[in-house]
């Protein structure tokens, strides 16, 4: 086709009055936008909007497209929203199982606008039907230099749809698929192995994670009760106040006559009101004397300000605060004091916002729910699910009808949700706008995290909290970090399987889970410490069992470990020590032990002789320690069969005996099974001896 030939515009295959949301469940009484609306398709009040999406982001905008591309954009959106449309089926356009999410269609419109602007800069014809395929190769090559592969995938899919939707596009689409037989991920250069998908989502570094999560929990557990009491005090003052200036002087004098009452003044170290430092807090004083601030008595009633200033000059003043005292904290300088300079009216509003963000951070960090799912949590969502606490919310990703799902949670997360519910300003949802007078329906998680970090860092001197490094943080990084922690740190594989909802023989059988759980170099030292701590806990349990004359295991390894335990116990007894001394000597002994499913290994790198796994084999370069795949629990002198292993071996022996009853086994197969049975019986013989 000649790239300069004009494109003949055929009438579109969709009627101007045809609803564009025929495949989506509408809100009660709502009417769908129609195809003929050329400026925008507003979905607010028509489709259920995700809780974490601003109303402005729930619109499909076409006004920025020129005449040709306005029609192309609307047609592509119509096909995506209605993949089973009769015209799409007749045209032979392959349809997915469910319609595309409106959020995805909105994102595609952004890709189309960028593509159209790029084509105009390169002087390409106004309609994509005249574009040579190699130009799309150029486009993607440029994108790959600027964007991450995961972002390029979206642009590639949009270009591929310009060809695939061609039969229904006015004037046609791209004449050929620029990458026949290739997936969008392959075109974008997103490398993906058979075992794991490498995610671009970064892990939150430990130097950020720990102080952030600790600060969030401290706000919930220690500071939250004070904030609730201050809020209750302000509500009480408002309920008991009068909105009149009549008797204002008498009220003020009567209040000042009590020496326990002091005129509230602004604190000189509070970051958000430095300009008011040392000045009288007139609004708070008005509430204290029982008069609504809307009466403006200190402006309208002569003499009140003079009376107040006389009291201040007498020294009858203190930092304005709704509460007389607050929870005590230990600060970095070693002093003990209140966690706050005091909470006044404006400070209370901010502290409630920060407390709400703390609840969001703690729930997001320790539940592995997505940002959209956390923001869908409503009041009364904590339930008992199969005997364990769980939170009910809507699973958004990939689900147009927002099905309700359960996420098992730990008790502190349940407390965080209870606190969020206690301060919720919305009639249903727990997490809404950071500022009560702006975007009340939307909680911007990114802005909230920044505000929380800034708030903590500005008050570390008084609150006793650690400073939080100001690195870029996003909600999806919490899910990625917790998935890595639950996978890499000992004893948490089951938690990972439960939280990510992957029913598999092993917790890491799912490729996406494995990508989320991939380790991060920044956590390597903490991982080593956690492994060593878990190993010592197991060793300590064995020591205490031996101390109580309970069997700790069978075989040469168990005998060797028992002798070491006896030496430690005899040393402690000779020194008159207690359990603390025992544990200290146990650490100093540096016993080498590896806890396994079929046995425990007491291989000592300082004395590797006797390790059967290393005999007559080539040790890989750089390898240290035993070779688990060549372990011989029945013969090795380092092997220890624990009581928990005996039943596993007994079950193995019974299974082998049942298999050997079959007369149809091949001789080679029978010989292998018999050898395995001999090994299992040898292990059991050690346990029975």
């Amino acid at each position: 086709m000649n790239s300069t030939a004009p494109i003949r515009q055929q009438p579109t295959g969709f009627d101007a009055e045809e609803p564009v949301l025929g495949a989506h469940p509408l809100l009660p009484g709502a009417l769908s936008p129609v195809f003929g609306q050329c400026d925008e398709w507003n979905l607010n009040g028509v489709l259920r909007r995700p809780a974490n999406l601003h109303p402005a982001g729930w619109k499909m905008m076409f006004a920025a497209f020129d005449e040709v591309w306005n029609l192309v954009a609307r047609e592509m959106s119509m096909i995506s929203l209605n993949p089973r449309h009769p015209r799409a089926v007749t045209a032979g356009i392959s349809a997915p199982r469910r319609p595309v999410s409106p959020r995805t269609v909105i994102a595609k419109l952004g890709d189309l606008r960028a593509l159209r602007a790029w084509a105009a800069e390169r002087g390409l014809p106004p309609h994509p039907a005249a574009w040579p395929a190699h130009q799309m190769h150029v486009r993607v090559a440029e994108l790959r230099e600027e964007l991450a592969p995961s972002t390029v995938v979206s642009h590639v899919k949009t270009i591929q749809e310009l060809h695939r939707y061609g039969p229904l596009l006015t004037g046609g689409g791209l004449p050929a698929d620029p990458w026949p037989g290739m997936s969008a991920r392959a075109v974008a250069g997103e490398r993906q192995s058979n075992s794991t998908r490498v995610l671009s989502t970064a892990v939150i570094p430990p130097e950020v994670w720990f102080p952030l999560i600790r600060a969030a929990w401290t706000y919930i557990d220690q500071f939250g009760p004070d904030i609730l009491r201050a809020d209750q005090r302000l509500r009480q003052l408002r309920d008991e106040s009068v909105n009149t200036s009549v008797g204002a002087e008498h009220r003020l004098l009567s209040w000042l006559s009590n020496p326990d009452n002091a005129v509230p003044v602004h604190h000189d170290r509070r970051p958000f009101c430095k300009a008011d430092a040392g000045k009288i807090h007139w609004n708070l004083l008005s509430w204290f004397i029982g008069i609504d601030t809307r009466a403006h008595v200190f402006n309208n009633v002569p003499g009140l300000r003079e009376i107040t200033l006389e009291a201040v000059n007498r020294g009858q003043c203190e930092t304005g605060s709704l509460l007389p005292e607050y929870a005590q904290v230990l600060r970095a300088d070693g002093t003990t004091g209140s966690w706050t300079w005091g909470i006044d009216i404006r400070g209370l509003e901010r502290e409630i916002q920060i407390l709400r963000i703390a609840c969001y951070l703690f729930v997001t960090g320790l539940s592995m729910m997505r940002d959209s799912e956390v923001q869908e949590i409503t009041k009364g969502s904590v339930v008992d699910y199969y005997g364990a606490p769980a939170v009910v919310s809507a699973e958004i990703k990939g689900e147009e009808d927002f099905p309700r799902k359960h996420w098992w949670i730990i008790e502190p997360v349940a407390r965080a949700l209870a606190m969020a519910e206690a301060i919720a300003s919305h009639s249903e949802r727990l997490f809404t706008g950071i500022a009560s007078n702006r975007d009340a329906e939307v909680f911007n998680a990114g802005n909230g995290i920044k505000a929380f970090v800034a708030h903590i860092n500005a008050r570390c001197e008084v609150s006793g909290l650690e400073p939080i490094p100001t690195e870029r943080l996003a909600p999806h990084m919490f899910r990625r970090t917790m998935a890595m922690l639950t996978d890499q740190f000992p004893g948490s594989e089951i938690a990972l399987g439960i939280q990510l909802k992957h029913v598999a023989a092993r917790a890491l059988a799912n490729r996406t889970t494995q990508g989320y759980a991939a380790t991060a170099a920044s956590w390597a030292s903490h991982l080593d410490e956690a492994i060593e701590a878990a190993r010592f806990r197991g060793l300590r349990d064995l020591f205490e069992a031996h101390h109580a004359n309970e069997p700790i295991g069978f075989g040469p390894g168990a005998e060797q470990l028992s002798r070491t335990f006896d030496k430690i116990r005899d040393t402690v007894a000779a020194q008159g020590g207690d359990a603390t001394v025992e544990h200290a000597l146990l650490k100093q002994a540096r016993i080498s032990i590896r806890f396994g499913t079929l046995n425990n290994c007491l291989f000592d790198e300082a004395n590797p002789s006797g390790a059967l796994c290393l005999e007559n084999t080539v040790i890989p370069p750089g390898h240290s320690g035993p070779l688990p795949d060549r372990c011989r629990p029945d013969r090795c002198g380092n092997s220890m069969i624990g009581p928990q292993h005996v039943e596993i071996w007994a079950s193995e022996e019974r299974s082998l005996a049942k298999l050997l009853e079959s007369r149809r086994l091949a001789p080679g197969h029978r010989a292998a099974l018999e050898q395995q049975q001999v090994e299992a019986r040898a292990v059991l013989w050690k346990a029975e001896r």
Side-chain angles (χ1 to χ4, degrees), residues 237-238 240-252 282-298 301 304 345:
L237 290 173
R238 286 172 172 169
E240 296 175 353
S241 66
V242 296
N243 188 11
T244 178
S245 60
V246 176
E249 182 176 347
H250 173 73
R251 283 177 175 269
L252 177 61
W282 298 108
N283 283 343
L284 189 56
L285 179 58
S286 181
W287 290 117
F288 281 169
I289 65 175
I291 299 178
D292 196 304
T293 56
R294 292 173 295 180
H296 302 291
V297 291
F298 290 102
V301 179
L304 289 191
I345 301 173

Side-chain angles (χ1 to χ4, degrees), residues 646-659:
V646 174
E647 180 54 37
I648 297 176
W649 285 101
S651 176
E652 175 73 2
E653 197 278 333
R654 290 193 298 268
S655 299
L656 291 169
K658 187 172 183 179
L659 287 172

Side-chain angles (χ1 to χ4, degrees), residues 595-600 644-645 648-649:
F595 294 94
T597 304
L598 299 178
N599 70 326
N600 298 330
Q644 72 276 19
H645 301 133
I648 297 176
W649 285 101

Side-chain angles (χ1 to χ4, degrees), residues 594-642:
R594 293 166 176 82
F595 294 94
T597 304
L598 299 178
N599 70 326
N600 298 330
C601 177
L602 277 80
F603 175 87
D604 185 1
E605 293 185 17
N607 183 24
S609 60
L612 293 182
C613 62
L614 301 182
E615 292 183 0
N616 303 319
T617 187
V618 177
I619 301 176
H623 176 80
S624 62
L627 297 172
D629 58 326
R630 303 187 78 247
C631 182
R632 291 296 305 273
D634 58 321
R635 295 177 51 201
C636 185
N638 293 323
S639 176
M640 169 182 168
I641 307 299

Side-chain angles (χ1 to χ4, degrees), residues 455-508:
H455 188 87
I456 296 299
N457 289 344
R459 294 160 175 79
C460 289
E461 182 181 353
V462 65
S463 68
L465 295 172
E466 304 171 63
I468 304 172
T470 54
E471 296 194 13
R472 177 188 172 275
L473 297 175
H476 57 281
M477 295 172 67
F478 288 81
R479 175 177 167 87
R480 166 74 171 91
T481 303
M482 197 54 170
M484 182 274 297
L485 292 178
T486 53
D487 171 67
Q488 298 295 325
F489 282 69
S492 55
E493 295 86 353
I494 295 177
L496 178 65
I498 291 175
Q499 295 288 12
L500 291 186
K501 308 291 189 299
H502 296 308
V503 181
R506 296 187 63 187
L508 301 184

Side-chain angles (χ1 to χ4, degrees), residues 341-360:
W341 293 297
I343 301 178
D344 58 12
I345 301 173
R346 183 164 41 172
L348 174 61
E349 180 181 353
R350 189 57 175 167
E351 290 294 349
I352 289 176
Q353 295 164 5
I354 295 300
L355 179 57
R356 182 178 296 117
I357 300 170
C359 295
Y360 169 86

Side-chain angles (χ1 to χ4, degrees), residues 183 295 554:
S183 68
F554 314 95

